[in-house]
């Protein structure tokens, strides 16, 4: 689900309400207590320790029982996120932006969240990195709530589009329909 609308209309506020980062001033929000929600924002790759390799980073974040099997599980997960074996032992400082994004998403997705919340995740990413992030989102098997102004990214991953404006949220027919309506507004 992609949330679209002009800046200042409340998309990030809505996301924060959904995730519990903000409490509503009126009304209520119901979340299933067992639901695992992971948040990825425009600074998601900044969480990496650039002196550590992707494998070291995941091992530090998820030490498990320290067994060979646990390490293989982490390696397999990194690989499923597009961090190939030859990248897993390089210091993260040697990785390109898209590769760092894949490592960050591997860290977020390792806990197997039911829902990924992506708030402007493509800001500060180059085109290759945006494509890599879209690949990861397309392979994710849970739900995704996305706030983004990146037309390429939204076009790749949007299954539903909702607009946030004038204090409300409304379903749009499609991303293309939303975009055409926005273009028509600009032409006036």
């Amino acid at each position: 689900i992609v949330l679209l609308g002009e800046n200042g209309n409340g998309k990030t506020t809505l996301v924060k309400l959904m995730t519990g980062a903000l409490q509503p001033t009126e009304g209520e929000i119901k979340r299933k207590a067992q639901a695992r929600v992971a948040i990825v924002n425009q600074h998601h790759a900044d969480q990496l320790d650039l002196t550590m390799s992707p494998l070291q980073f995941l091992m530090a974040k998820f030490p498990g029982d320290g067994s060979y099997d646990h390490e293989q599980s982490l390696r397999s997960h990194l690989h499923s996120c597009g961090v190939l074996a030859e990248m897993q032992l390089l210091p993260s400082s040697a990785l390109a932006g898209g590769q760092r994004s894949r490592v960050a998403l591997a860290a977020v997705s390792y806990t197997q969240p039911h829902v990924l919340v992506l708030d402007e995740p493509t800001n500060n990413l180059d085109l290759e990195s945006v494509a890599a992030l879209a690949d990861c989102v397309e392979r994710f098997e849970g739900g995704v709530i996305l706030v983004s102004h990146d037309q390429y990214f939204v076009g790749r991953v949007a299954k539903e589009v909702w607009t946030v404006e004038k204090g409300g949220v409304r379903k749009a027919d499609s991303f293309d329909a939303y975009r055409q309506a926005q273009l028509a507004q600009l032409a006036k």
Side-chain angles (χ1 to χ4, degrees), residues 9-53:
N9 278 358
K11 298 178 301 291
T12 296
T13 300
L14 178 59
V15 164
K16 288 180 178 180
L17 287 165
M18 288 178 187
T19 61
L22 284 178
Q23 295 305 314
T25 55
E26 59 183 76
E28 66 180 313
I29 295 175
K30 294 181 181 181
R31 287 181 286 281
K32 188 166 183 161
Q34 298 84 0
R36 290 185 305 275
V37 178
I39 301 168
V40 177
N41 62 33
Q42 60 187 306
H43 307 292
H44 66 278
D46 294 345
Q47 70 175 312
L48 301 180
D49 180 338
L50 298 180
T51 65
M52 298 174 96
S53 71

Side-chain angles (χ1 to χ4, degrees), residues 108-151:
V108 166
S109 63
Y110 187 72
T111 59
Q112 299 178 328
H114 299 109
V115 178
L116 277 178
V117 178
L118 302 141
D119 190 3
E120 298 289 358
T122 62
N123 286 6
N124 308 315
L125 294 182
D126 59 22
L127 294 174
E128 177 186 326
S129 302
V130 172
L133 182 59
D135 291 343
C136 291
V137 170
E138 288 174 333
R139 284 194 303 271
F140 181 68
E141 294 181 11
V144 176
I145 298 171
L146 169 66
V147 174
S148 179
H149 294 284
D150 187 311
Q151 291 186 34

